Amino acid sequence: MEKFQLKPVRAPEEIAEMCQVAERVWHLTYDELLAPGQVDYMVEKFQSPKAVEEQMSQEGYQYYTVCQGGEAKGFVGFSPRYQGRDELFLSKVYLLPEIRGQGAARQVFDFVEAEARRQGLPCIRLTVNKYNTHAAQVYEHYGFRVTDSVVTDIGRGYVMDDYIMEKTL
């Protein structure tokens, strides 16, 4: 039996629970990397219940919580054929520190890769903050390679300064 359960996020209360985890993880991950205020802005813009509902209804996003003992301890979000591309866009993989190193990441990446293969998609693409070296190293460990970099204006004078990483299946 798998140590973690990946549960689809659909209902408003599931979205709200996932967004609470997102806020915790994003502050732990980005408070030291980004300008003051940027994390709160990004959580509201990308990981609030309203933003998640829009991503799911308008952009084909699928979210799953990573649960341990019935509690949400992380989440993954992806969009097959995002923006019409023949790939799976892996938008978010966030795990709380207490489950890191226990196999959750392996289980998530295996799941995402199986989903891409199931849909006949030849590639998984993601973006990662250039200064989030731990995450970039994790992605490299799972077979992703840097293919480009991009700076994206997200409003209010903030930007996302990311590497684009891809894994060919």
Side-chain angles (χ1 to χ4, degrees), residues 150-167:
V150 62
V151 176
T152 306
D153 184 336
I154 58 170
R156 288 198 195 156
Y158 298 126
V159 298
M160 292 191 308
D161 190 7
D162 295 332
Y163 289 121
I164 297 171
M165 299 183 79
E166 295 181 357
K167 179 177 183 175

Side-chain angles (χ1 to χ4, degrees), residues 30-42 129 156-159:
Y30 296 115
D31 277 352
E32 293 184 13
L33 298 177
L34 302 176
Q38 184 169 348
V39 175
D40 288 330
Y41 174 72
M42 289 176 66
N129 181 287
R156 288 198 195 156
Y158 298 126
V159 298

Side-chain angles (χ1 to χ4, degrees), residues 15 18-19 46-56 63:
I15 292 171
M18 183 188 72
C19 290
F46 300 117
Q47 215 52 57
S48 65
K50 180 179 185 277
V52 168
E53 288 170 11
E54 287 176 5
Q55 291 162 12
M56 292 171 70
Y63 280 99

Side-chain angles (χ1 to χ4, degrees), residues 43-116:
V43 167
E44 183 62 31
K45 183 173 180 71
F46 300 117
Q47 215 52 57
S48 65
K50 180 179 185 277
V52 168
E53 288 170 11
E54 287 176 5
Q55 291 162 12
M56 292 171 70
S57 67
Q58 298 172 17
E59 300 177 45
Y61 273 71
Q62 299 171 36
Y63 280 99
Y64 293 81
T65 53
V66 178
C67 298
Q68 182 182 48
E71 281 187 57
K73 300 288 187 172
F75 64 97
V76 59
F78 55 85
S79 180
R81 295 181 178 80
Y82 181 68
Q83 297 180 334
R85 298 172 67 129
D86 193 30
E87 65 188 17
L88 185 139
F89 178 58
L90 179 54
S91 178
K92 297 163 187 83
V93 176
Y94 289 99
L95 303 173
L96 288 169
E98 60 260 31
I99 66 164
R100 293 181 189 160
Q102 298 180 31
R106 165 60 63 200
Q107 196 171 327
V108 166
F109 283 104
D110 287 350
F111 174 77
V112 169
E113 190 170 318
E115 186 63 21

Side-chain angles (χ1 to χ4, degrees), residues 9-20:
V9 174
R10 295 192 183 101
E13 60 273 11
E14 295 166 340
I15 292 171
E17 178 185 43
M18 183 188 72
C19 290
Q20 289 174 342

Side-chain angles (χ1 to χ4, degrees), residues 126-167:
L126 60 84
T127 58
V128 60
N129 181 287
K130 288 178 183 172
Y131 304 101
N132 190 350
T133 53
H134 173 74
Q137 290 168 348
V138 169
Y139 296 138
E140 286 177 357
H141 175 77
Y142 288 105
F144 289 83
R145 297 291 169 254
V146 173
T147 59
D148 206 351
S149 63
V150 62
V151 176
T152 306
D153 184 336
I154 58 170
R156 288 198 195 156
Y158 298 126
V159 298
M160 292 191 308
D161 190 7
D162 295 332
Y163 289 121
I164 297 171
M165 299 183 79
E166 295 181 357
K167 179 177 183 175

